[in-house]
Amino acid sequence: MKSLLSVIFILFVIFSCSEIDKDCLCTEEYRTYLVTVVDTLGVPVDSLNITIKDKDGDELDVQQEPYYLGEGKYTVLNDSFTHIMCTCGTAQAIYFSATDGSKIANGEFMFNTDDCKCHINKVSGPDTLVLK
């Protein structure tokens, strides 16, 4: 009886997996892409108001963790946004804006994802923005 249950279980596992599932094995890595915002003297600037938008102009709710990130560092995008990325090989534009109310720093970033939508990949974009 025990071996019959084992065989049934093995058959269930084999037939319940699709071809896509066999090829998709995501790691536990969690990718976060940052940008540093500095003033015109190169000093990192904290406590800015951040706006991040997708290619359609829709605002993305990207959580900022200033105590974790470091001085002047802000999250542009992380793996929690793989669902908005196309697996078609084309990178998607993400627009980052930081302001203190009178000065602004803007940047355009290009991201894509892998076929399994496990992680985002930064294709292009600056590492540092200047608040002007």
Side-chain angles (χ1 to χ4, degrees):
M1 181 68 177
K2 191 173 185 179
S3 74
L4 178 62
L5 289 175
S6 296
V7 170
I8 292 172
F9 177 74
I10 290 170
L11 289 173
F12 175 76
V13 169
I14 289 171
F15 290 109
S16 67
C17 295
S18 70
E19 288 299 315
I20 294 172
D21 291 339
K22 290 180 186 176
D23 292 339
C24 291
L25 183 60
C26 297
T27 65
E28 290 190 26
E29 171 187 12
Y30 187 78
R31 294 184 187 169
T32 299
Y33 290 93
L34 307 176
V35 66
T36 302
V37 179
V38 297
D39 63 16
T40 54
L41 300 174
V43 178
V45 182
D46 288 331
S47 304
L48 297 174
N49 294 317
I50 306 301
T51 304
I52 301 169
K53 295 183 178 183
D54 66 13
K55 63 180 172 53
D56 298 322
D58 296 326
E59 194 167 330
L60 303 176
D61 185 21
V62 179
Q63 297 299 310
Q64 302 296 319
E65 305 292 340
Y67 57 89
Y68 170 73
L69 300 176
E71 290 184 39
K73 295 193 182 300
Y74 299 90
T75 301
V76 177
L77 213 60
N78 58 42
D79 276 346
S80 63
F81 292 91
T82 56
H83 66 282
I84 68 168
M85 297 290 147
C86 174
T87 60
C88 57
T90 303
Q92 180 175 327
I94 299 295
Y95 303 98
F96 177 94
S97 177
T99 184
D100 65 359
S102 61
K103 299 176 193 163
I104 193 164
N106 291 312
E108 180 180 341
F109 298 80
M110 300 298 286
F111 288 92
N112 65 16
T113 188
D114 53 273
D115 289 339
C116 298
K117 292 196 172 195
C118 294
H119 303 292
I120 59 169
N121 303 302
K122 180 179 160 187
V123 175
S124 66
D127 293 327
T128 304
L129 296 172
V130 178
L131 189 67
K132 298 178 191 176

